[in-house]
Each structure stands twice: as C-alpha cells, then as structure tokens.
Amino acid sequence: MKGEARTLEIINKIREHRENEKQLEWRGTFKEYLELVKEYPHIAQTSHSRVYNMIKDAGVVERDNQKMYKFFGDDIFGLEESLEKLVEEYFHSAARRLDVKKRILMLMGPVSGGKSTIVTMLKRGLEQYTRTDAGAVYAIEGCPMHEDPLHLIPPHLREDFYEEYGISVEGHLSPLNMMRLEKEYNGNIEDVMVERIFFSEDKRIGVGTFSPSDPKSQDIADLTGSIDFSTIAEYGSESDPRAYRFDGELNKANRGIMEFQEMLKCDEKFLWHLLSLSEEGNFKAGRFALISADELIVAHTNEAEYKAFINNKKNEALHSRIIVMNIPYNLKVTEEERIYEKMIDKSDMANVHIAPHALRTAAIFSILTRLKEPKNQSVDLVKKMKLYDGEELEGFKEQDVEELKKEYQDEGMDGIDPRYVINRISSAIIRKDVQSINALDVLRSLKDGLDQHASISDEDKERYLDFIAAARKEYDEAAKKEVQKAFVYSYEESAKTLMDNYLDNVEAYCNKNKIKDPLTGEEMSPDEKLMRSIEEQIGISENAKRAFREEILIRISAYARKGKKFDYNSHERLREAIQQKLFADLKDVVKITTSTKTPDESQLKKINEVIARLIDEHGYNSVSANELLRYVGSLLNR
C-alpha cells in the first residue's frame, strides 16, 4: 500500500507540473505582443541581458568587499573572485550593449576546475528562468530559430519604435519568416502569430551545444543547418528557405546560449563562422543572405591549447573577438573540502563514514600542489595556504594576503584536480573493505596514486610527496588537539575558568595592583608563573609579554564600550594559548590512557568516555574514534 501511495504521489506531481506548464503558455498576434512589450519591456531583452539578470535575480551578497552570487552558491566553491570578474566584466557589460557583447566568452582553466560546471549551470538556469515572469521569452510562432518578434518591425520604423518603447531592435527578419510573412499573412505584420517559448537543451530551444569530432567527417551543417533535398522537387530551388533545415546548433541556440566544448579543437572552417556571429550578430547559412542571431557564445579550453591557438598567426582575426576569463582551481582549503563533500554526496560513497579531518587533510594536500612559492621569504607554502583560507596568523594583515595574490597571475592553473582526490578516496574505501576511512587512509591512497598518474613528472612527484608529508603534519596536530579536547571534562568550563584567572592576573599586573586569593582573601602579587605558562604556549617572549597583556586589556575595554561581553572566543590568540595550556597539562594523562595495552578499570572508563564524546560531539563513529585514539597514543609516545 505504501508503494502505491508513493506512485500516486509521483503521478500527481507530474500532473501538477503539466498543469503549471500549460498556465505559462501564451499565444497571440504581433499586435497583442507589442501591448505586452509596452507593459513589460524586459521581455524584449537580449540574450546577454537575460543571463546577467538571471544571475542577479538569484541574489547577490557582499562579504569582505567581495560579491557572492547565490546563483553559483551551491555548486561552485572558492572561485568568488573569478566569478565576480566574469559576471561584472563580461555579463554586466554585455547586458548594457557595450562592445564586450560582440566577443566570444572563453573560459580557460585546468581540468575539473569548474568550467563545464559553470556553463551547465548557465544552461540549466536559463531553462528555469524562461519559466518565470522575469525571464519570459517570446518568438515568432512556428519559427525553427525561435526568432525575435521585433525583427518584424521594418528598419525605417525602428527609430520611431525606440522613441515610443525605449527598446533598440537589432537584427533582420530571417529569409524563412520573410517568406512566411508574405505567403501566410499577406504582408500584415500585426497579424503574425507570436508564442511564448521555454528554453530546453533536450528540445533544442534556446540552448545549443557543439562538440568537435573528427574534422574529416564533421559537417558545417552541424552548426548552420542544411538543405532538405527531399523538398527541392516541391519548392523548386535550393535557395527557397522552405527547402532548408534550420536545425544547426547556431540556429537552435538563437535567443539563448551556445556552448562550444573544447572550441580550439574545432576545424578552422567552424571557427570562421563565429567571426561574423560575434561581431555582427549574424552568420551565413545555405544560399541566403546573412541570418541574424542573438546568442551568448561561451567556449572553454585549457591553457596549453589556448597558448597554441594564440601562437598560430592564422588565428589572429579571432584573437580580438575572444574575451578570456581564467577559471583556476580553488585555493581555499575550506572550500575544497566542500567540493569533496558535494562530489561524495552525489556518488555511491554517500553511505561511507569518512572520519573528521579526512577530507580536510586531502584538501590541504590538493591546495599545496596548486600554490606557487611565495616571493616573500617570511612566508612558506603552508602559511600561505592558511592565509588564503582566512586564518589569522601573527604578523600578517589582510593587506599581506592581497600582496601574495598579486605575485602570480596564473596561480591555481595547475596542480592536483578534485577528481583525482575523489578517485583515491574511492580506492581507499575499496582497499580497506570497511564502511569507514580516516585521514591516514586517504593520505596513503593519495601517495600510492602518484605512481599511476601519467601526467605527473618525477620532479612534481617529489614535491607532491613533500606536500603529503606537510598535510600529515597538519593532521597530526589536529588529531592531538581533538583527542586532548575530548579528554577535558566540561572543556569550555575549564577553559573559561583558566581564562578568567589569567585575566584577573593580567588586569592586576597592568594596573600595578594586588590580587585577592579567592579562598583566603589574602592579597598577593599577580601570578607571573601562571601568566607566562599560558603566554609561552603561543610564543610570547619575555620582552613582548607586557605589550600582549596591554593589548588584551584594550580589547576588553573596547568590548565594554560597545556593551559586548569579552569571552573565551573574543581573542583568537588568547583562546589558542588557553587551549594549548589545557592540552599541555593533560598530555601525560592522554599518553598513558591511549597507549596502555591492558588498561585498568579507571583507564578503560576514561577511554570509553572519550570515545563517547568523540562520537557524540565530534562526528566520529566507534571504528574511527578507536583508530584516532590509537594513532594519537603512538604520536604522544614518540
């Protein structure tokens, strides 16, 4: 019965969708369409404008002077700067009919960097957007190219139309619709039927995709359509538009988006058609005059192919017609982790338990392979990686991060791609033959896979092995902290008590006051030993201690002025010092408990409590929690 209920629910949803689609349909005369245009001018927007408005309408937020587009938010991670440049410098400018509209958009970047994902999102987005009021598109009914109805307005009346409607009309009526106007409507433009259309790549409406194949066998008809020889006897001539199939990708992508996959692998005869289309908004097909088309042309390629294309003098005419937008790999560890999570969620691995830090450790390795050595000698790659990820490091400001980003224009254009990492995680799962893997399993698999990666040179392999070692070092620190934190009963309370004690002593020290013993009430000098035991955890020297303590008091005062409470999380470095002090005090307890092969009853109880806390509060399962304890025990006993 439950199965039947679910089937019925799906059928009802299908019916509901069909009804919704019917409600969106519209059909009327050109005269009625002009009334619509008068009331809703946006329905006459260009293809570039429609794409820009689609992205903008999804929502834009600004964070740290960086625009974040919600349209890309769930699928593209860590490419905020590249996306802002793409949207503002290309789509926005093209939407305003600036000269950039006459350029082919070329997305250039490494394999699995997100180029295809961006294009797919634009295509799927447009399919949905044309089903909304804001993205509605209308075309001459029955036209295989879904032609813009405004092409019906004669050229000599377009200035008058602009004065009344405020809309520029670009392009000319196609040969087929010119003939239909005379033969079907007796030249009465106002009677020509117009319909609302909905973009669909499957139905070949407003979305086209061209992929190069064997240059010897691929026909230009794939782009521009072809003669229908079966109708020549009926219509008498190859130049009769009714004897022509307007079914090429450029025909079908009119009004929307045309994707050229691996464009630079295309034969030259295909590329020359793009010259006229990009610059003049038309292309040649059959024995007709130039055919107008309004479509966003977007291509993608890799850096090596693009450089070869640029170096070929025969391609110079196309160079100036292309706007290249770099789509590098993501360079933020946190965002890379999100990429892996998304890929895993969409795979058969979704039911596998991946221990905390496993994906982050893999992400650290990946990002290190993509970064270039800093020119600033005080920064190593690991520090650079952390700064890029938004971590606060002593001695570095936001301006330093911006300077690092300016050192190389092509950073992120090479390195390990996300698919390689996911493949190696899959391999780790199969090899271990259990439904749980940890960071060490992933690192081991990444290392083993380097020998199987055909494109990795011996020199790169040596570097990558160093990066695996660096990623393991970062994991070792995270693992020790996680276990030590789990060993602390009521960790937050312990940390707060220690911090309050420290702050009382700091305040007395800076104000040259005494401090009262909470038990005896006796006045004592500030506890220098306590303060130094905390400050030394983060490398505060004897000479720097006063400045650090005064900085803490200033921060407390600033919080008080704003009516905010200074707490454990209010000062990043102080919080780190408190944590490390607690961990240092617990180290021996952790070492003994985790490394004992035959723990006594009290030790066993402590281990079970820690495992329970790792499972309940930190995201481990029983297998990965036990593995973590054993590993950290071995680390502490080295």
Side-chain angles (χ1 to χ4, degrees):
M1 292 297 290
K2 285 184 178 179
E4 289 180 16
R6 287 197 193 99
T7 302
L8 189 59
E9 186 179 345
I10 292 296
I11 295 298
N12 287 336
K13 286 182 177 179
I14 291 172
R15 286 173 180 160
E16 185 181 343
H17 173 73
R18 189 164 58 239
E19 289 303 314
N20 290 338
E21 291 284 292
K22 284 182 180 178
Q23 289 176 16
L24 292 174
E25 291 174 2
W26 184 92
R27 183 175 182 271
T29 63
F30 181 64
K31 180 182 177 183
E32 292 169 326
Y33 172 69
L34 285 184
E35 291 171 3
L36 268 183
V37 172
K38 188 82 171 177
E39 189 173 357
Y40 308 108
H42 68 270
I43 65 175
Q45 63 188 323
T46 63
S47 59
H48 291 79
S49 177
R50 190 173 295 109
V51 170
Y52 173 68
N53 287 326
M54 170 186 72
I55 296 169
K56 183 169 63 71
D57 289 353
V60 185
V61 295
E62 196 156 321
R63 191 181 305 148
D64 300 326
N65 297 319
Q66 182 83 62
K67 286 186 177 177
M68 319 279 281
Y69 302 95
K70 292 183 180 179
F71 179 82
F72 299 106
D74 294 332
D75 287 278
I76 304 291
F77 307 113
L79 295 181
E80 292 80 13
E81 290 179 22
S82 299
L83 290 174
E84 181 175 3
K85 188 176 181 183
L86 172 65
V87 173
E88 295 303 321
E89 293 187 17
Y90 185 80
F91 291 134
H92 193 183
S93 299
R96 292 176 170 248
R97 298 177 188 263
L98 296 173
D99 214 44
V100 69
K101 176 178 181 287
K102 300 178 180 179
R103 305 289 177 266
I104 298 166
L105 173 62
M106 172 78 75
L107 304 181
M108 182 176 71
V111 61
S112 297
K115 307 183 299 295
S116 299
T117 302
I118 290 171
V119 178
T120 300
M121 289 186 74
L122 293 173
K123 294 195 294 186
R124 298 295 86 79
L126 278 172
E127 289 177 345
Q128 293 303 315
Y129 194 58
T130 57
R131 286 165 170 75
T132 67
D133 292 340
V137 184
Y138 297 80
I140 295 174
E141 187 180 66
C143 173
M145 283 186 60
H146 342 292
E147 187 164 9
D148 186 347
L150 294 184
H151 285 181
L152 290 162
I153 297 173
H156 67 278
L157 294 178
R158 290 185 179 182
E159 279 191 26
D160 295 338
F161 181 78
Y162 179 78
E163 287 180 13
E164 184 174 346
Y165 287 78
I167 296 169
S168 296
V169 180
E170 299 175 1
H172 301 282
L173 201 60
S174 66
L176 178 62
N177 285 323
M178 205 175 290
M179 175 176 282
R180 291 179 64 206
L181 176 62
E182 295 304 318
K183 291 187 177 294
E184 294 179 28
Y185 297 100
N186 297 317
N188 297 321
I189 292 172
E190 65 275 19
D191 294 335
V192 173
M193 296 305 296
V194 175
E195 63 180 348
R196 183 174 178 180
I197 62 171
F198 308 100
F199 288 177
S200 168
E201 186 168 22
D202 292 340
K203 295 179 180 178
R204 303 189 74 209
I205 302 173
V207 180
T209 302
F210 183 81
S211 183
S213 58
D214 182 1
K216 295 177 183 177
S217 62
Q218 193 153 33
D219 193 341
I220 197 68
D222 293 346
L223 271 187
T224 60
S226 60
I227 297 167
D228 185 353
F229 290 101
S230 66
T231 61
I232 291 177
E234 181 182 351
Y235 298 119
S237 169
E238 290 182 13
S239 60
D240 190 309
R242 292 171 298 180
Y244 195 84
R245 288 194 292 255
F246 293 90
D247 60 356
E249 293 302 320
L250 293 182
N251 307 107
K252 294 301 182 180
N254 186 34
R255 313 294 301 287
I257 185 170
M258 173 70 199
E259 176 191 9
F260 270 81
Q261 296 178 347
E262 304 297 341
M263 171 182 153
L264 301 184
K265 289 179 181 175
C266 289
D267 189 80
E268 288 177 15
K269 65 184 178 183
F270 292 91
L271 297 180
W272 296 127
H273 273 277
L274 303 183
L275 284 173
S276 175
L277 182 57
S278 61
E279 189 69 32
E280 306 297 335
N282 51 47
F283 64 92
K284 192 77 172 73
R287 298 182 179 181
F288 310 117
L290 291 169
I291 295 175
S292 296
D294 167 33
E295 50 199 85
L296 163 64
I297 305 171
V298 57
H300 39 89
T301 189
N302 60 50
E303 195 171 13
E305 285 178 354
Y306 181 71
K307 285 179 178 176
F309 172 77
I310 289 294
N311 292 331
N312 188 341
K313 296 292 182 183
K314 291 194 297 183
N315 297 325
E316 284 182 350
L318 265 173
H319 294 177
S320 60
R321 266 79 167 195
I322 294 175
I323 283 187
V324 177
M325 290 285 174
N326 282 354
I327 306 295
Y329 283 132
N330 157 61
L331 296 177
K332 295 178 181 177
V333 172
T334 306
E335 297 300 312
E336 187 73 8
E337 199 175 352
R338 292 180 67 195
I339 293 172
Y340 301 156
E341 287 170 353
K342 185 192 84 169
M343 294 173 81
I344 287 169
D345 285 344
K346 292 182 177 180
S347 74
D348 292 337
M349 295 188 289
N351 62 333
V352 175
H353 172 76
I354 298 177
H357 304 292
L359 296 184
R360 184 171 183 81
T361 304
I364 288 172
F365 164 71
S366 297
I367 301 301
L368 288 174
T369 69
R370 300 170 190 172
L371 295 175
K372 293 186 179 291
E373 286 288 346
K375 295 175 182 177
N376 184 341
Q377 296 297 315
S378 66
V379 186
D380 60 25
L381 271 186
V382 173
K383 279 185 181 176
K384 184 178 185 178
M385 173 193 75
K386 291 179 178 180
L387 289 168
Y388 275 17
D389 203 36
E391 287 190 43
E392 291 184 9
L393 299 183
E394 185 180 2
F396 294 97
K397 300 176 182 175
E398 192 174 325
Q399 186 178 348
D400 298 316
V401 181
E402 295 305 315
E403 291 300 320
L404 282 171
K405 289 178 179 178
K406 290 175 185 176
E407 286 184 348
Y408 301 98
Q409 295 300 310
D410 61 343
E411 191 165 49
M413 296 298 280
D414 56 20
I416 289 292
D417 65 278
R419 283 188 197 139
Y420 170 79
V421 174
I422 293 299
N423 290 343
R424 297 315 304 166
I425 290 174
S426 301
S427 177
I429 291 169
I430 293 167
R431 180 189 303 171
K432 200 173 179 186
D433 198 28
V434 293
Q435 293 298 297
S436 174
I437 61 168
N438 58 41
L440 295 177
D441 297 323
V442 173
L443 285 177
R444 197 176 297 114
S445 186
L446 288 171
K447 181 180 178 182
D448 293 344
L450 294 179
D451 290 327
Q452 304 165 24
H453 205 299
S455 62
I456 296 179
S457 66
D458 289 340
E459 184 183 351
D460 281 340
K461 183 181 174 184
E462 287 302 314
R463 288 174 53 246
Y464 290 175
L465 288 173
D466 289 341
F467 296 149
I468 286 175
R472 177 167 179 171
K473 187 177 178 182
E474 291 296 310
Y475 170 66
D476 287 352
E477 290 304 310
K480 282 189 285 187
K481 283 186 179 181
E482 194 113 285
V483 169
Q484 289 168 332
K485 188 185 246 188
F487 263 86
V488 179
Y489 182 74
S490 302
Y491 174 75
E492 294 293 334
E493 287 78 1
S494 302
K496 183 179 181 302
T497 301
L498 183 57
M499 190 189 77
D500 288 344
N501 197 359
Y502 173 78
L503 293 179
D504 288 343
N505 281 278
V506 163
E507 188 175 3
Y509 170 86
C510 292
N511 295 330
K512 297 181 180 177
N513 293 333
K514 297 286 186 179
I515 189 168
K516 278 190 176 182
D517 186 298
L519 295 176
T520 65
E522 178 187 353
E523 286 195 340
M524 303 179 300
S525 296
D527 189 342
E528 185 65 22
K529 187 178 178 182
L530 170 72
M531 290 187 286
R532 292 302 295 140
S533 70
I534 291 172
E535 292 157 357
E536 285 170 351
Q537 301 296 328
I538 52 172
I540 303 295
S541 66
E542 184 71 27
N543 293 333
K545 69 182 184 182
R546 174 172 285 277
F548 181 74
R549 293 169 187 178
E550 287 175 347
E551 179 200 326
I552 296 289
L553 278 192
I554 290 170
R555 180 76 65 90
I556 292 171
S557 177
Y559 268 62
R561 283 198 305 273
K562 294 176 183 176
K564 293 166 67 179
K565 188 180 186 311
F566 185 90
D567 61 22
Y568 173 65
N569 293 306
S570 299
H571 194 286
E572 179 76 25
R573 298 193 64 218
L574 177 58
R575 184 177 74 221
E576 183 185 350
I578 297 288
Q579 285 179 355
Q580 292 193 21
K581 169 61 177 165
L582 283 171
F583 294 159
D585 293 344
L586 272 172
K587 188 172 183 179
D588 289 339
V589 176
V590 175
K591 187 191 297 186
I592 293 168
T593 311
T594 56
S595 61
T596 303
K597 291 183 179 178
T598 54
D600 60 30
E601 190 176 336
S602 65
Q603 289 171 337
L604 192 60
K605 182 181 178 184
K606 174 61 76 174
I607 288 173
N608 289 334
E609 286 176 359
V610 170
I611 288 173
R613 198 165 291 126
L614 286 170
I615 294 171
D616 295 341
E617 299 177 16
H618 299 279
Y620 291 84
N621 68 3
S622 60
V623 174
S624 59
N626 276 286
E627 288 173 341
L628 178 71
L629 279 180
R630 285 196 296 273
Y631 180 62
V632 170
S634 70
L635 288 177
L636 294 176
N637 279 293
R638 286 177 186 175

